[in-house]
């Protein structure tokens, strides 16, 4: 039995009568980031891999496994109709809450560097916050479609989503994972704005959000210390400002063209988390300002393409798909801005991975799954065939694909 017969009656962009029918610019951009990430992990993790496991390629090998798993997740999500995600939105929300509760239970959650952010299995860890952020986007997209008029015209429609978002943010803060909280709430706020929330209500939400962030920073001494230390890391360069000062040294050593791939000095136990949160600093040291700017340009292209995919879905009147595309794009934008901002010293140190580049199984697999969702959304909006209520025939796929958007 062929794979096409197994997944009937739902065709997908990778199995059609005319072959693979994907948004190749988006796919190429994300594959370029995946490839660059694999190269940088191989370079940035050699010293720590050799010290911790006896193999310089330990982390690169594991990262390669995560890449393969991520590409598999991308293929699977491309095969699932967007209407199915819409129907299962409330189950995903319940699942997100369940995972976030499990991770803070002693004995189930795994503590790393003082944070309970992972559920450990035999040979890998799952980070529930990465899954929860995507599930929240899917649920909120369904809410915006169901309650569109209420969201646009009434205060109650505006406040209802926060009955769900605030408890979830509280669970994230209990881990604690302040960065994931900011990214999730930021993406939700952007989705509400694009969903038609009035400017006055949106401005009020922004003011309340800023006030909440200031209050949360003041409530925890370590957050306050990070805020004060990043302004002048050289004041305590061997203490609280050590990580940021080493990252800035990496940028300085890289100059315009870098010291060469594999020749970083900062990765040799000077820069903590060189292959995870601060992989961009190693990239800047080895590839220089030119390589860094090209990487940023690639990220900008991928994020803007994701937003355009949402716009195309909205023009095709596939509003749920449009809101999902916007939400996923804002998740990437938030993580990208925070990670780069931390690496260059524009933001206080925060443990957020760089999408597609940083080492981390959960983050990488979820990013690839999100790519699959975006590719599915683009295909459905372009072909107008992505609805499970329609009956498909080979003739539906007779004409040549058009990627001239």
């Amino acid at each position: 039995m062929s794979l096409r017969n197994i997944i009937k009656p739902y065709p997908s962009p990778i199995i059609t009568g005319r072959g693979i029918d994907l948004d190749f610019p988006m796919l190429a951009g994300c594959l370029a980031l995946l490839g660059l990430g694999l190269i940088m992990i191989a370079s940035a993790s050699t010293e720590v891999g050799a010290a911790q496991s006896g193999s310089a390629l330990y982390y690169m090998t594991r990262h390669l496994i995560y890449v393969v798993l991520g590409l598999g997740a991308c293929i699977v999500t491309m095969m699932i109709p967007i209407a199915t995600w819409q129907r299962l939105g409330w189950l995903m929300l319940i699942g997100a809450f369940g995972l976030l509760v499990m991770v803070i239970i002693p004995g189930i959650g795994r503590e790393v560097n003082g944070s309970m952010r992972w559920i450990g299995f035999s040979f890998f860890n799952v980070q529930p916050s990465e899954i929860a952020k995507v599930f929240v986007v899917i649920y909120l997209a369904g809410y915006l479609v169901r309650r569109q008029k209420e969201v646009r015209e009434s205060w109650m429609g505006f406040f209802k989503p926060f009955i769900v978002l605030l408890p979830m943010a509280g669970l994230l803060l209990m881990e604690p994972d302040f960065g994931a909280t900011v990214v999730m709430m930021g993406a939700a706020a952007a989705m509400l704005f694009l969903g038609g929330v009035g400017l006055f209500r949106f401005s009020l939400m922004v003011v309340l959000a800023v006030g909440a962030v200031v209050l949360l920073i003041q409530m925890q001494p370590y957050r306050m210390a990070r805020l004060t230390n990043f302004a002048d890391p050289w004041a305590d360069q061997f203490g609280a400002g050590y990580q940021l000062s080493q990252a800035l040294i990496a940028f300085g050593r890289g100059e315009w063209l870098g010291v060469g791939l594999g020749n970083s000095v900062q990765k040799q136990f000077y820069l903590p988390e060189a292959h995870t949160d601060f992989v961009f600093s190693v990239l800047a040291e080895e590839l220089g300002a030119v390589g860094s700017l090209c990487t940023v340009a690639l990220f900008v292209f991928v994020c803007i393409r994701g937003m355009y995919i949402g716009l195309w879905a909205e023009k095709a009147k596939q509003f749920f798909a449009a809101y999902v595309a916007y939400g996923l794009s804002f998740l990437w934008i938030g993580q990208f801005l925070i990670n780069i901002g931390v690496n260059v010293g524009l933001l206080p140190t925060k443990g957020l991975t760089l999408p597609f580049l940083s080492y981390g199984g959960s983050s990488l697999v979820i990013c690839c799954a999100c790519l699959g969702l975006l590719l599915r959304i683009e295909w459905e909006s372009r072909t107008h065939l992505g609805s499970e209520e329609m009956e498909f025939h080979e003739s539906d796929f007779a004409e040549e694909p058009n990627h001239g958007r």
Side-chain angles (χ1 to χ4, degrees), residues 147-154 194-198 201 323:
R147 306 286 185 178
Q148 189 174 61
K149 184 176 180 180
E150 189 177 355
V151 168
R152 293 180 175 181
E153 298 179 0
S154 73
L194 293 174
V197 169
R201 290 195 294 272
Y323 293 137

Side-chain angles (χ1 to χ4, degrees), residues 2-150:
S2 69
L3 184 58
R4 179 171 173 78
N5 289 330
I6 293 174
I7 65 168
K8 277 186 175 180
Y10 310 131
S12 73
I14 57 174
I15 302 177
T16 69
R18 60 193 178 201
I20 297 176
D21 185 12
L22 294 171
D23 179 14
F24 286 104
M26 183 65 164
L27 179 63
C30 291
L31 288 179
L33 288 172
L34 279 174
L36 179 61
L38 183 61
I39 293 171
M40 292 314 305
I41 295 302
S43 175
S45 66
T46 52
E47 303 298 329
V48 66
Q52 293 182 359
S53 67
S55 172
L57 299 179
Y58 173 76
Y59 285 104
M60 188 213 75
T61 304
R62 288 176 64 90
H63 190 76
L64 181 59
I65 294 173
Y66 294 142
V67 169
V68 173
L69 291 174
L71 293 176
C74 178
I75 292 172
V76 170
T77 53
M78 276 193 287
M79 291 182 175
I80 302 173
I82 297 302
T84 301
W85 297 101
Q86 186 172 3
R87 282 201 317 270
L88 299 178
W90 65 277
L91 286 176
M92 293 180 181
L93 182 68
I94 294 173
F97 272 108
L99 288 171
L100 292 179
V101 169
M102 287 175 62
V103 77
I104 60 176
I105 297 176
I108 298 179
R110 180 167 178 250
E111 184 174 349
V112 178
N113 295 330
S115 298
M116 297 275 286
R117 299 181 186 176
W118 295 266
I119 297 177
F121 293 91
S122 56
F123 58 92
F124 68 96
N125 298 317
V126 174
Q127 191 169 0
S129 61
E130 295 291 338
I131 302 173
K133 287 184 294 187
V134 177
F135 284 4
V136 165
V137 165
I138 293 173
Y139 173 81
L140 187 56
Y143 174 83
L144 290 173
V145 171
R146 293 191 307 272
R147 306 286 185 178
Q148 189 174 61
K149 184 176 180 180
E150 189 177 355

Side-chain angles (χ1 to χ4, degrees), residues 21 59 66 107 113 155 158-159 170 176 225 233 235 278 281 292 327 345 350 368 375 392 402:
D21 185 12
Y59 285 104
Y66 294 142
N113 295 330
W155 283 94
F158 168 68
F159 281 118
F278 283 85
S281 296
S292 301
K350 196 84 236 44
C368 291
L375 292 174
F392 296 93
N402 179 16

Side-chain angles (χ1 to χ4, degrees), residues 123-294:
F123 58 92
F124 68 96
N125 298 317
V126 174
Q127 191 169 0
S129 61
E130 295 291 338
I131 302 173
K133 287 184 294 187
V134 177
F135 284 4
V136 165
V137 165
I138 293 173
Y139 173 81
L140 187 56
Y143 174 83
L144 290 173
V145 171
R146 293 191 307 272
R147 306 286 185 178
Q148 189 174 61
K149 184 176 180 180
E150 189 177 355
V151 168
R152 293 180 175 181
E153 298 179 0
S154 73
W155 283 94
M156 186 56 66
F158 168 68
F159 281 118
K160 277 182 181 178
F162 292 96
I163 298 174
V164 171
L165 292 171
L166 292 179
M168 189 162 289
L171 289 172
L172 286 171
L173 291 172
M174 289 176 67
E175 296 181 6
D177 195 343
F178 187 68
T181 307
V182 171
V183 170
M184 183 191 74
M185 297 300 285
M191 290 176 68
L192 286 169
F193 181 72
L194 293 174
V197 169
L199 185 59
F200 175 74
R201 290 195 294 272
F202 181 76
S203 301
L204 177 62
M205 177 176 61
V206 170
V207 171
L208 292 175
V210 171
V213 168
V214 172
L215 181 62
L216 289 170
I217 290 174
Q218 293 179 341
M219 287 174 61
Q220 293 291 341
Y222 78 91
R223 290 183 188 137
M224 199 65 193
R226 286 180 177 179
L227 185 64
T228 54
N229 289 326
F230 101 97
D232 185 13
W234 307 106
D236 189 13
Q237 62 176 312
F238 297 110
Y242 178 78
Q243 199 167 26
L244 178 54
S245 61
Q246 295 301 316
L248 294 176
I249 290 173
F251 276 91
R253 292 194 74 252
E255 297 184 349
W256 283 104
L257 299 177
V259 298
L261 191 63
N263 294 327
S264 168
V265 172
Q266 293 305 101
K267 69 181 181 183
Q268 299 178 13
F269 304 104
Y270 291 102
L271 178 61
E273 310 295 340
H275 62 297
T276 54
D277 301 340
F278 283 85
V279 68
F280 190 75
S281 296
V282 177
L283 184 150
E285 184 181 3
E286 295 188 350
L287 304 183
V290 173
S292 301
L293 291 174
C294 289

